[in-house]
Amino acid sequence: MGIKTQAWDAAEFLGSEEDIRHYLEAAFEDGDPALIRSAFNDIARARGMTALAKDAGVSREALYKAFGENGNPTLETLLKVTKALGVRLAIAA
């Protein structure tokens, strides 16, 4: 009898504002840009790409491009998306 596995999608577990905040905090603590971009992608999918794009004032295509596998979101896009999510980027010591 072999081991059965199934795909795991973080977007399925980001149901609350607190979940999203903790997920982003963990990604930023790790510091890997690819992981941070991927976390934003998961959050956008959890929220609904179209709805988040509308709330952030950017196109849906721009979010897919910015947070896709080869994406490189601009600071402007990050600020718009974080504001739409109700979180903010901050510097802490």
Side-chain angles (χ1 to χ4, degrees), residues 88-93:
R88 63 184 172 91
L89 299 178
I91 306 299

Side-chain angles (χ1 to χ4, degrees), residues 23-24 26-43 67 73 78 89:
Y23 193 57
L24 281 175
F28 274 93
E29 282 177 13
D30 183 271
D32 178 4
L35 181 64
I36 294 167
R37 186 195 67 244
S38 180
F40 273 104
N41 182 286
D42 293 338
I43 292 165
F67 299 134
L78 286 176
L89 299 178

Side-chain angles (χ1 to χ4, degrees), residues 33-62:
L35 181 64
I36 294 167
R37 186 195 67 244
S38 180
F40 273 104
N41 182 286
D42 293 338
I43 292 165
R45 289 183 304 104
R47 277 287 183 91
M49 202 66 82
T50 302
L52 182 58
K54 181 180 176 185
D55 292 345
V58 298
S59 71
R60 184 175 56 88
E61 293 78 17

Side-chain angles (χ1 to χ4, degrees), residues 8-11 14-15 19 22 26 31 35-36 39 42 48 54 59-60 66-68 71-73 77-78 80 87 93:
W8 185 82
D9 185 359
L14 298 171
D19 294 338
H22 289 301
L35 181 64
I36 294 167
D42 293 338
K54 181 180 176 185
S59 71
R60 184 175 56 88
F67 299 134
N72 189 15
T77 300
L78 286 176
K80 287 179 178 183
V87 299

